[in-house]
């Protein structure tokens, strides 16, 4: 089976998204790229029952390569990230995670960008922008998303959710979790008053430190 390992990864992380509360039902989607091929969650399938053979493989031009099921309706966003997004540190982009996480979605209705409420926002960028609203599954949404991703590894989608990417599926998923957590912290702090935020120079300092974070 083509991209068997990557298709199994997509199933594993799709179920994890549900368990972690980042999606509800069949919302949200995940993809992994290998060369010119992308393994991506199918549309309208319960993730609890998702099998590797259910995960379609698509070419970067959007044409089907392997699998019987239709890909997610958000395929234009995923393919746009792989074709046109640029990582701030020139790392390869091999995975995309799109969530409907509740706190980030709520924040997307309030502001144009998530302020630097915590240093872990540097996993995304100096801030996390909110892409202008466009109907789901459209090229218009892919365009507004790309604008918001400029110089960032993730963004919020107005009245919709989030999207993050990484050089691995674990990295992209970790960023989705961190973005949701930062949004939750900001909402909680904002409900009690006017939260203090970190200066831009501190986010830049943390960004540099994160490059060498973890085990070699």
């Amino acid at each position: 089976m083509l991209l068997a390992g990557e298709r199994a990864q997509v199933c594993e992380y799709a179920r994890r998204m549900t368990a972690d509360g980042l999606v509800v039902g069949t919302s949200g989607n995940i993809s992994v790229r290998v060369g010119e091929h992308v393994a991506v969650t199918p549309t309208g399938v319960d993730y609890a029952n998702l099998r590797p053979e259910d995960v379609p493989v698509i070419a970067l031009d959007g044409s089907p390569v392997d699998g019987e099921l239709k890909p997610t309706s958000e395929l234009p966003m995923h393919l746009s990230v792989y074709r046109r997004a640029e990582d701030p540190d020139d790392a390869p982009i091999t995975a995309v995670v799109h969530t409907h996480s509740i706190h980030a979605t709520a924040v997307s209705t309030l502001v144009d960008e998530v302020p630097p409420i915590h240093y872990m926002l540097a996993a995304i960028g100096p801030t996390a922008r909110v892409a202008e609203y466009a109907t789901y599954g459209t090229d218009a949404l892919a365009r507004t998303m790309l604008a918001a991703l400029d110089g960032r590894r993730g963004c919020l989608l107005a009245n919709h959710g989030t999207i993050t990417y990484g050089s691995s599926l674990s990295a992209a998923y970790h960023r989705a979790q961190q973005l949701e957590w930062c949004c939750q912290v900001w909402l909680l702090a904002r409900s009690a008053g006017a939260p203090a935020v970190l200066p831009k120079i501190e986010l830049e300092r943390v960004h540099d430190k994160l490059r060498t974070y973890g085990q070699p």
Side-chain angles (χ1 to χ4, degrees), residues 148-165:
L149 282 178
D150 185 29
R152 309 291 193 272
R153 295 185 181 86
C155 70
L156 277 61
L157 308 170
N159 302 83
H160 185 156
T162 75
I163 193 158
T164 55
Y165 66 77

Side-chain angles (χ1 to χ4, degrees), residues 18-143:
T18 303
D20 289 344
L22 298 180
V23 298
V24 175
T26 62
S27 65
N29 29 78
I30 288 173
S31 68
V32 177
R33 175 185 179 179
V34 178
E36 298 300 303
H37 295 153
V38 177
V40 62
T41 44
T43 186
V45 174
D46 185 350
Y47 293 151
N49 301 318
L50 190 63
R51 305 169 302 169
E53 56 267 34
D54 296 327
V55 176
V57 176
I58 307 297
L60 285 180
D61 64 3
S63 59
V65 175
D66 192 28
E68 299 297 323
L69 300 183
K70 291 169 54 178
T72 172
S73 58
E74 298 292 11
L75 185 63
M77 281 204 303
H78 289 257
L79 296 182
S80 292
V81 172
Y82 293 127
R83 291 194 301 246
R84 295 194 288 276
E86 296 181 0
D87 184 89
D89 293 327
D90 296 322
I93 301 174
T94 66
V96 174
V97 173
H98 167 48
T99 79
H100 286 185
S101 50
I102 187 168
H103 297 97
T105 303
V107 170
S108 79
T109 70
L110 297 171
V111 294
D112 294 327
E113 64 180 8
V114 183
I117 188 71
H118 190 276
Y119 67 81
M120 276 311 299
L121 191 64
I124 300 296
T127 61
R129 299 189 186 98
V130 179
E132 291 183 14
Y133 180 81
T135 304
Y136 82 92
T138 62
D139 290 335
L141 178 57
R143 288 193 297 271

Side-chain angles (χ1 to χ4, degrees), residues 10-20 47-51:
V10 167
C11 293
E12 174 191 350
Y13 275 85
R15 283 189 278 272
R16 185 173 169 184
M17 273 203 311
T18 303
D20 289 344
Y47 293 151
N49 301 318
L50 190 63
R51 305 169 302 169

Side-chain angles (χ1 to χ4, degrees), residues 189-203:
R190 186 175 181 271
S191 70
V197 296
L198 298 171
K200 180 180 177 181
I201 188 65
E202 175 60 12
L203 269 291

Side-chain angles (χ1 to χ4, degrees), residues 158-181:
N159 302 83
H160 185 156
T162 75
I163 193 158
T164 55
Y165 66 77
S167 58
S168 67
L169 185 48
S170 62
Y173 191 83
H174 174 73
R175 287 175 183 142
Q177 289 179 302
Q178 292 292 347
L179 183 52
E180 168 65 0
W181 184 82

